[in-house]
Amino acid sequence: MSKFLIICFLFLGYLVSGQITGYVNNELNESVEFATIYNLSQKTSSITDEAGFFKMNGRIGDSITIQHVNCKTKEFLVAKLHNNYLLEQKFISLNEIEVTAQYVRGL
């Protein structure tokens, strides 16, 4: 009987935890390379590869935050262990820069 309970306990642990995997894309359906994914529930993190793919420890119901320098940071609730995540692009406007040539004496 005790062996049965141990096996059930181990199997239950296997069912509730696993690996969260997925792809991160922008609204143009382009892969978001090197985005940071942070699992707020498990306190773990991961980074997407060149194809926008990531994997990390977690489970259904965890909250994850995905951020990238060119996209708006967004929080997601994990609904399934493999999913695709969509980020909205962030546009950064820079002021005009003037480049001039000057000779510096004494260097």
Side-chain angles (χ1 to χ4, degrees):
M1 179 69 173
S2 64
K3 289 181 183 180
F4 177 73
L5 289 175
I6 292 171
I7 291 172
C8 288
F9 180 72
L10 292 174
F11 184 69
L12 180 63
Y14 174 75
L15 287 178
V16 296
S17 67
Q19 287 238 324
I20 300 170
T21 61
Y23 288 91
V24 179
N25 296 316
N26 63 21
E27 58 224 352
L28 301 174
N29 204 28
E30 300 169 333
S31 300
V32 179
E33 301 175 350
F34 309 113
T36 304
I37 299 96
Y38 182 68
N39 187 327
L40 300 168
S41 306
Q42 303 289 322
K43 307 286 191 248
T44 58
S45 61
S46 182
I47 297 175
T48 59
D49 62 12
E50 292 86 3
F53 179 78
F54 74 94
K55 65 180 174 178
M56 65 189 312
N57 290 331
R59 62 181 128 212
I60 294 173
D62 284 357
S63 292
I64 61 171
T65 298
I66 303 176
Q67 60 187 18
H68 188 271
V69 69
N70 293 333
C71 299
K72 294 181 181 178
T73 299
K74 192 167 180 183
E75 188 172 322
F76 297 91
L77 186 65
V78 177
K80 52 186 178 177
L81 292 179
H82 181 76
N83 207 351
N84 294 328
Y85 298 92
L86 185 66
L87 293 182
E88 185 180 341
Q89 287 187 303
K90 175 172 51 176
F91 296 99
I92 301 170
S93 170
L94 299 177
N95 293 331
E96 182 179 331
I97 299 173
E98 184 178 328
V99 178
T100 61
Q102 290 185 340
Y103 175 76
V104 178
R105 196 181 281 206
L107 287 180

